[in-house]
Amino acid sequence: MHEVTPHNAFTPAKEVQDIERFAGRTELLDGLSGALQADGAQIVLYGQRGIGKSSLARVLGQMATNAPEAISRLSIAPQVKFDYFPVHITCDDSIDSIDKLLLRLLTDSGALADWIPFKVVEHKRTTEGGGKVGIKVVELSGKKAGAITERAVEVEADLQTTFINACRSIVNSGVSAHGLLIIIDEFDRITNKKGIASLLKAIGPEKVTFAMVGVAGDINELIADHESVTRQLADGNIRVTPMDRNDLAEIISRAMTALNDKYAFELAAINWITSIAKGHPFYVHLIGKHALLRTIQAGATVVTESIAREALADIAMKESAPVQEATYKRAVGHSYVRERILKGFAGRDEQEIYTTELYSEMARELGVDPSAISVYVGHLASDKYGAVISKARDRYYQFNDSLFKAYAAARPYERKPGDHEPE
């Protein structure tokens, strides 16, 4: 375990990996435990950005090896002692298809490459078929392993067969009683998911469990053709919802415990931070870190609400949340009116925002005709201004990213009344 310092007591830049710093989520952990106990189940962890999916995936990996710290977080004790061999990879832009995912799993030393009796290399990519990958399999032992031979493979089915044989060889080696658990984080970044359903069907009997983790509003967005694998996903369909404020407050208390309670957050600061986070642990970590460091720089030991508010303003000024800040500035441009409308929308708790009443309120406040408000709303839904909102149905809009919605609501104003751009 790394030494915990004020700089890493909160971790906005990465998922929580130390179980002692992981807060709440008991119900979801129980759901993951149930999925690990269900024969043939495949796991899907999905939800909006910044609500802790990757941290849950890390705990899942620990739970799968029966780590006591992870098992102790369950409210329902598992009926078996988990003995999986977990593999964890995070998708990047190079993994644009299921073929490329399988290739990464077969060739990455942090995945399966060091555990299989052959070497897989990309041989060539076929031009037809959309994203199919050619591979060459090289025997390391001098023996043939099942159907795998030293030959060029250029069709999707053969790559899948190679992958299944690789998994089978690991499972048959006896490395774990329950088989492989392959955790694929940021699965939503795979643009071409063709083949995932057939893979899940084929891999089920091989004691191989996939845990696919990604940003999605529902399972349809994350898993293509999921209807054909309904049975495999029934026990592992885990929707990650925003955290409640008690669990968000626990993030702060666990961070302070990790620092041996040398510092503290006053109740008002905790209440304000957990309120503006709107269920996103990312913001608790982000504001918590900056507020704590600001407090220490001032020679104090207690984080106050005023310091936390100053920290958020500093985050915006220094662009410490660069993606959200860039999106905010693009949406606002040079217009106070558009910024006020953006914040008016972001301040609403409901997911689908009813515009009729909001238009009237904004028009009265800004002294303009309601039709002018609709023009600015159109801006916020357009690509020119980042398309931060979209029309859900007649007279209702919603934010396309709940993490940005929370940022837009909490961030201090960029513009002042009278700051208008030519429209």
Side-chain angles (χ1 to χ4, degrees):
M1 183 185 302
H2 296 293
E3 178 186 1
V4 179
T5 68
H7 281 274
N8 59 31
F10 295 98
T11 57
K14 65 178 183 177
E15 70 272 17
V16 175
Q17 299 189 24
D18 179 1
I19 188 65
E20 293 300 321
R21 312 271 287 285
F22 183 84
R25 296 301 200 184
T26 300
E27 184 177 351
L28 293 177
L29 292 176
D30 285 343
L32 291 172
S33 172
L36 291 178
Q37 296 175 72
D39 290 342
Q42 302 294 336
I43 299 170
V44 181
L45 265 172
Y46 62 95
Q48 297 303 312
R49 300 183 192 280
I51 57 175
K53 299 181 300 301
S54 294
S55 296
L56 275 165
R58 289 290 180 182
V59 177
L60 171 63
Q62 296 175 46
M63 189 191 306
T65 60
N66 209 58
E69 298 85 356
I71 299 299
S72 69
R73 295 296 187 88
L74 300 172
S75 67
I76 304 171
Q79 299 299 307
V80 297
K81 182 178 179 180
F82 295 132
D83 182 21
Y84 284 87
F85 174 44
V87 171
H88 192 294
I89 72 167
T90 300
C91 294
D92 54 33
D93 290 339
S94 69
I95 303 178
D96 57 8
S97 68
I98 299 303
D99 270 16
K100 294 297 284 187
L101 171 63
L102 298 185
L103 184 66
R104 175 69 65 83
L105 287 167
L106 289 168
T107 57
D108 194 325
S109 61
L112 305 181
D114 291 346
W115 295 86
I116 53 180
F118 50 85
K119 182 180 180 181
V120 177
V121 294
E122 187 169 5
H123 182 52
K124 69 176 182 178
R125 183 175 299 197
T126 59
T127 56
E128 70 279 355
K132 291 184 180 179
V133 174
I135 61 171
K136 186 175 183 180
V137 178
V138 181
E139 299 294 338
L140 299 181
S141 63
K143 298 179 180 179
K144 294 183 178 181
I148 300 176
T149 59
E150 185 174 343
R151 61 189 176 91
V153 182
E154 296 184 358
V155 295
E156 179 180 335
D158 286 333
L159 177 57
Q160 180 171 299
T161 299
T162 303
F163 176 74
I164 292 173
N165 279 330
C167 292
R168 184 182 294 137
S169 70
I170 295 173
V171 171
N172 290 342
S173 73
V175 69
S176 61
H178 292 138
L180 278 166
L181 172 64
I182 302 176
I183 302 171
I184 313 296
D185 202 0
E186 298 195 30
F187 187 80
D188 55 290
R189 296 182 69 173
I190 301 176
T191 53
N192 179 9
K193 299 185 179 68
K194 183 180 179 182
I196 185 61
S198 62
L199 175 63
L200 294 179
K201 285 182 179 179
I203 207 70
E206 304 296 337
K207 294 179 70 174
V208 177
T209 300
F210 269 85
M212 294 155 285
V213 185
V215 175
D218 57 45
I219 197 170
N220 296 308
E221 291 183 38
L222 194 63
I223 305 296
D225 195 26
H226 81 281
E227 292 89 352
S228 64
V229 286
T230 299
R231 285 191 304 168
Q232 290 93 326
L233 300 178
D235 290 315
N237 183 3
I238 309 292
R239 181 173 185 172
V240 184
T241 56
M243 294 181 75
D244 66 39
R245 291 181 63 179
N246 288 333
D247 283 355
L248 292 174
E250 187 182 331
I251 294 173
I252 297 174
S253 65
R254 286 185 175 275
M256 295 304 94
T257 298
L259 293 173
N260 298 314
D261 294 317
K262 290 176 60 177
Y263 308 98
F265 282 66
E266 69 173 15
L267 182 59
I270 294 172
N271 287 341
W272 181 74
I273 292 171
T274 57
S275 173
I276 67 166
K278 295 188 182 298
H280 296 80
F282 169 78
Y283 287 126
V284 177
H285 283 279
L286 181 67
I287 299 172
K289 176 177 182 174
H290 285 265
L292 176 62
L293 295 177
R294 194 178 186 88
T295 297
I296 293 171
Q297 290 169 1
T301 58
V302 177
V303 179
T304 63
E305 180 183 347
S306 63
I307 289 178
R309 288 178 179 271
E310 291 168 3
L312 178 58
D314 204 41
I315 287 167
M317 183 179 69
K318 295 182 179 178
E319 299 189 2
S320 300
V323 174
Q324 290 74 31
E325 181 63 15
T327 302
Y328 188 92
K329 286 184 174 178
R330 181 178 178 183
V332 169
H334 300 285
S335 170
Y336 169 78
V337 173
R338 190 164 46 250
E339 183 173 24
R340 180 66 189 93
I341 293 170
L342 172 66
K343 283 184 161 292
F345 270 73
R348 299 297 180 105
D349 290 332
E350 60 268 30
Q351 182 175 344
E352 293 187 354
I353 302 158
Y354 182 55
T355 59
T356 300
E357 293 179 357
L358 187 57
Y359 282 12
S360 298
E361 292 173 9
M362 294 284 98
R364 285 195 300 270
E365 177 187 331
L366 296 168
V368 299
D369 189 89
S371 62
I373 303 298
S374 67
V375 171
Y376 284 97
V377 170
H379 292 170
L380 295 173
S382 70
D383 290 338
K384 179 179 179 180
Y385 295 99
V388 294
I389 62 174
S390 60
K391 194 169 188 177
R393 50 197 171 99
D394 187 36
R395 299 183 183 180
Y396 285 86
Y397 277 83
Q398 63 185 10
F399 275 81
N400 295 320
D401 182 351
S402 66
L403 189 65
F404 175 71
K405 178 182 179 182
Y407 185 81
R411 185 198 185 282
Y413 272 88
E414 175 80 3
R415 300 294 167 190
K416 298 179 293 184
D419 288 346
H420 296 279
E421 64 178 0
E423 300 296 352

